[in-house]
DNA sequence: ACATTGAGTTGAAACGGTTCAATTTTACGA
DNA sequence: TCGTAAAATTGAACCGTTTCAACTCAATGT
């Protein structure tokens, strides 16, 4: 590491004062055009780079956003992080990441680490498990620390959230299958206390109610998680007698696990049994049996989330509730 | 945002000097035990949090590491980022991420952004495409900026790299199939100029040579990328007449795409054709047809990489060449 | 010729820590 | 009780920016 060129060196080189150089570099109105150009050239010539720490110390801004997702191995969250990063980089922000493994304590630790690192704001996929202590989040909210939620929210803190309209998505897809005449449908969700499950379930119930059909709660299966393996295991460990017409998984990854296990049992998809996912991850269309699913536009969600957060950072006043993003049912071969 | 408590407040509260408080909080040897305890309590009571910018300005360290991977959507890199994050967090470092999309220019931009953000070091999966300008990397190397490479390296800059022993892995798996009597094997790789492809190819050739069998280069297929879709398309678009006994994909994701396309063409795996991947991503074992593959221990690679980087940061002198991590062939149903 | 205005620039005070030479306090042996 | 060495603490310099009140200076109107 060669010793670094500071703004002082640029000032000395140009014969201007440090303040002028600083303002020139920041494009201040009060500096003459030609001075700005001159300073820019000199800075370039000397290879000057702003020291981010000094800048941050003075401005109290780091232009770094912290982001917490449950599990980066899940392609859905992979795509989410990818889009968030893209949106942020475009606006000259950096993204620092953490993975909470669906554990509220880890999420809490990450949040406080991020704050200690001086992030300007946080985007989190909250761990909405109701069993856990949420006071940290409440305090942040009360201090109006810029944290926004994506893809879920805390029941008690339904603010600054961007998520897909899960209930409506599930309503649509359930209704469409009810209309086709299928009634015996199984729903493999994760922990039903979590918002993402309970919202979907509401959609399901609403669809049955709208169709005037009674909903049998024994068709809800609570898997050990929302992963490929959880889907796989749920099918493998199922000892019941009921063979549903359609199985709905809480997400595509889980649907893939379910399909895999069903096939291993010798069933054909969609002939013997239909399977639908949720999310429309990028290769859902290219699976051996292209997957019927409900698309949440991750890209749109991420863009809205970043916009919401940055608007808050800039002090613009923003929508503070739960913004729901429209979903779309996509019928593919796995459940024609 | 309530106004923050500074070290000065703690000093005033305890009646000690700022210097003492700072050293006490940093656990300096020169401060009396009881003073440290006293200061810690006071700091706690006042809710003092160190300002990271001031700290960094003074120490010239941010405890943030930048990490660049080609594509976060690929589960292999998802797992990689997950492990890197875990290793770093354990050592109280933060991880800031960027995605290069296999594009050297994007990588370059990210690297310089990271440096401007004041990262202490960089971990990159390099885009080893030889067509592109690599002078930035060379300069970094010459300035001995702490950058380490994972999973690949630049041909001209074979330093500070941790990667799986791709050549040996491919040698092993190829040899094992040659031994079983299969000779007509196809290899679907990405751009052959890239290290990850060329190393594997060397392994293949070495295995054929060792078995005394001539290798037919027309069995190498260069796909348009290394994604699920690239694998899928390669099979779909194949118009040749040759039906190989075994298809080796450059990675598991691609193997999945290949299997999917083969099945769509009515072939049975492994009866009609065998398929093997590479990486052993976490659900490779749970696919409909569990996947034969070569396991690279991502976790071990990540740990070695982080250790290497942090040792460099601490000025310890470290191994500076290419550290190869042992791979393991895993035979599963897709290619019994 | 002279006040007035406004554009452009300066200089010093933050920002909140770390570091270390200098100084003070403490502990111990004679 | 005193002298001295070791331990603990102090205080000021420093890190590299931003910010803004005060200042300079040229242009303008009268």
């Amino acid at each position: 590491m060669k010793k670094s060129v500071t703004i002082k060196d640029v000032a000395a080189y140009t014969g201007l004062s440090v303040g002028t150089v600083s303002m020139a570099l920041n494009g201040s109105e009060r500096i003459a055009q030609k001075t700005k150009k001159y300073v820019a050239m000199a800075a370039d010539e000397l290879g000057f780079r702003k020291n981010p720490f000094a800048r941050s110390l003075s401005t109290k801004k780091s232009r770094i956003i912290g982001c917490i997702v449950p599990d980066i191995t899940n392609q859905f969250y992979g795509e989410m992080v990818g889009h968030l990063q893209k949106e942020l980089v475009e606006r000259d922000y950096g993204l620092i990441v953490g993975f909470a493994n669906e554990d509220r304590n880890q999420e809490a630790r990450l949040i406080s680490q991020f704050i200690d690192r001086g992030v300007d704001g946080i985007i989190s996929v909250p761990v909405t498990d109701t069993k856990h202590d949420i006071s940290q989040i409440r305090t942040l909210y009360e201090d109006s620390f810029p944290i926004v939620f994506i893809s879920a929210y805390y029941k008690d803190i339904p603010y600054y959230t961007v998520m897909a309209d899960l209930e409506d998505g599930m309503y649509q897809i359930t209704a469409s299958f009810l209309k086709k005449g299928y009634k015996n449908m199984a729903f493999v969700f994760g922990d039903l206390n979590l918002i993402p499950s309970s919202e979907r379930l509401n959609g399901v119930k609403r669809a049955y109610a709208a169709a005037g059909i009674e909903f049998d709660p024994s068709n809800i299966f609570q898997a050990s998680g929302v992963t490929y393996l959880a889907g796989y295991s749920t099918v493998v460990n199922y000892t019941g007698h009921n063979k549903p017409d359609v199985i709905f998984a809480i997400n595509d990854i889980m649907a893939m696990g379910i399909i895999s296990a069903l096939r291993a049992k010798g069933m054909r998809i969609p002939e013997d049994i239909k399977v639908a996912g949720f999310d429309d991850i990028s290769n859902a269309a290219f699976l051996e049996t292209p997957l019927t699913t409900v698309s949440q536009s991750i890209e749109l969600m991420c863009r809205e989330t970043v916009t919401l957060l940055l608007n808050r950072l800039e002090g613009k006043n923003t929508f503070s509730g739960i913004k729901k993003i429209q979903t779309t049912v996509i019928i593919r071969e796995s459940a024609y």
Side-chain angles (χ1 to χ4, degrees), chain A residues 60-66 93 118-122 145-146 309 313:
Chain A
K60 303 181 179 317
K61 300 260 166 286
S62 61
R63 298 196 79 83
I64 293 184
I65 301 297
Y93 275 85
V119 298
D120 289 348
I122 291 181
F145 177 89
L309 179 61
L313 292 185

Side-chain angles (χ1 to χ4, degrees), chain A residues 252-327:
Chain A
D252 290 346
I253 303 284
M254 203 167 178
M256 287 165 68
I258 288 172
I259 288 176
S260 179
L262 288 173
R263 283 246 173 73
K265 287 193 168 185
M267 308 224 192
R268 291 165 307 157
I269 322 284
E271 295 85 349
D272 298 331
I273 195 163
K274 300 180 200 314
V275 178
F278 205 108
D279 288 351
D280 196 30
I281 60 177
S282 63
N283 55 348
F286 304 104
L287 297 177
E288 175 183 348
T289 313
L291 191 65
T292 288
T293 189
V294 178
S295 157
Q296 347 186 6
S297 171
I298 309 187
E299 190 171 357
L300 183 56
M301 252 168 56
C302 291
R303 184 155 44 237
E304 291 282 351
T305 305
V306 167
T307 303
L308 174 58
L309 179 61
L310 299 195
N311 280 347
R312 274 188 82 182
L313 292 185
E314 288 162 13
K316 297 186 190 155
N317 72 332
T318 51
F319 176 70
S320 65
I322 298 174
K323 173 146 202 169
K324 299 223 167 171
I325 306 285
Q326 179 79 55
T327 59

Side-chain angles (χ1 to χ4, degrees), chain A residues 37 50 74 84 95-96 100 110 115 124 148 165 175 182 190 196 201 204 209 212 248 293 295 298 303:
Chain A
K37 288 218 178 83
K50 266 194 196 137
N74 180 322
L84 289 174
L95 180 67
I96 177 170
L110 285 168
I115 293 178
S124 177
V148 303
D165 193 336
Y182 302 106
L201 197 52
V204 170
F248 292 90
T293 189
S295 157
I298 309 187
R303 184 155 44 237

